[in-house]
Amino acid sequence: MASGHLPGPPGPYWLRWAAANIFLWAWRNDDLTNAKIERRRLSTDTLLSKISEVKGQPTWVDSNLPDLRTLARELRTHALGEVIAATNHEDAIEVTAQYLGFIDPAILSLTVETPMGDVTILRSSIYHIVEKRMDARERYVRLALDTLTGPLEVWKVAFTDGTDRLAFIGAYESKRQMLVSVVFFEGQMLWNFMHTDAKSLNKHRHGELLYKRYTLL
């Protein structure tokens, strides 16, 4: 099962700014091939400091919201089939890109409509999303895209580096649930996604609740 910790942009502002601008420079340069883009991007593991979600934020319990472990079936989305796991990192990038909508290698960014407005997906970001091969996150790319466009909830979560991110919560009629992380950079940009179980996903339902697709009686 995937780890319950999502990596994020580096703590110091200047380092985070530098990393993001390298991503943007790469995908805006039409002369670069995908391979060159990947070689020029800074390694996530090298850049990232150990940052985490700030403790003590208001939680779903404080708002008397339903527990994902016992969530009513009518509030869940029908389970979506897994994509076959790739055999290596390069193939995982291509599989994920195809399911996200990058149907042509020349496409370097896409925009997805969500309840929180448009979210940009950079092809270069897929590199770190599927980098941990033990997790094989490409298997759940369909859940990730579905959670972006039709989340159960969206929370604005504070992190220890002083930034906020959006946590898109996806609840499904299956063991695997979905967490999608969106950062604020030149609008809103997909940063990561991970599959998890309901108990672990509950831990990410804190901060400021910005959206829920259900009404409590």
Side-chain angles (χ1 to χ4, degrees):
M1 187 174 75
S3 167
H5 177 72
L6 277 175
Y13 176 82
W14 68 269
L15 188 57
R16 187 168 66 253
W17 178 89
N21 274 276
I22 286 176
F23 289 150
L24 290 173
W25 175 83
W27 68 262
R28 284 172 176 166
N29 191 331
D30 292 337
D31 295 330
L32 292 177
T33 64
N34 291 335
K36 289 179 180 178
I37 290 172
E38 290 179 11
R39 287 198 295 270
R40 282 163 170 76
R41 71 176 296 280
L42 296 179
S43 169
T44 303
D45 290 338
T46 301
L47 277 175
L48 301 182
S49 57
K50 298 294 184 180
I51 64 175
S52 58
E53 298 169 353
V54 172
K55 298 183 182 301
Q57 300 180 66
T59 73
W60 62 276
V61 177
D62 299 320
S63 298
N64 294 315
L65 298 177
D67 188 333
L68 295 182
R69 293 172 295 183
T70 56
L71 189 67
R73 185 175 183 179
E74 57 266 25
L75 295 182
R76 300 178 183 272
T77 301
H78 293 299
L80 300 176
E82 293 183 18
V83 173
I84 297 175
T87 57
N88 56 58
H89 188 202
E90 182 178 351
D91 287 347
I93 292 171
E94 289 307 311
V95 168
T96 304
Q98 286 291 321
Y99 276 91
L100 287 176
F102 292 92
I103 57 176
D104 188 307
I107 301 174
L108 301 181
S109 69
L110 296 171
T111 300
V112 176
E113 294 183 7
T114 81
M116 304 309 301
D118 289 347
V119 170
T120 298
I121 303 177
L122 302 184
R123 180 186 284 269
S124 57
S125 294
I126 301 172
Y127 184 101
H128 74 261
I129 292 175
V130 298
E131 194 167 18
K132 293 182 179 179
R133 297 310 307 138
M134 289 185 64
D135 291 347
R137 290 181 180 173
E138 69 277 4
R139 292 177 296 163
Y140 302 98
V141 61
R142 296 180 64 197
L143 270 69
L145 188 57
D146 186 69
T147 295
L148 264 181
T149 58
L152 177 74
E153 298 168 349
V154 180
W155 295 76
K156 184 169 73 172
V157 184
F159 278 72
T160 54
D161 65 345
T163 64
D164 294 325
R165 293 179 226 168
L166 298 181
F168 284 66
I169 306 296
Y172 293 88
E173 294 180 4
S174 66
K175 181 179 178 180
R176 299 301 186 190
Q177 311 301 308
M178 176 54 60
L179 172 64
V180 177
S181 180
V182 170
V183 296
F184 295 101
F185 183 80
E186 293 194 351
Q188 300 176 137
M189 183 177 72
L190 172 68
W191 179 253
N192 216 332
F193 64 78
M194 59 172 282
H195 54 284
T196 185
D197 57 32
K199 181 179 179 180
S200 297
L201 190 54
N202 269 337
K203 298 176 182 178
H204 296 280
R205 300 168 69 204
H206 63 164
E208 180 184 354
L209 180 63
L210 300 181
Y211 168 86
K212 57 182 176 68
R213 71 165 184 249
Y214 56 90
T215 301
L216 296 177
L217 298 179

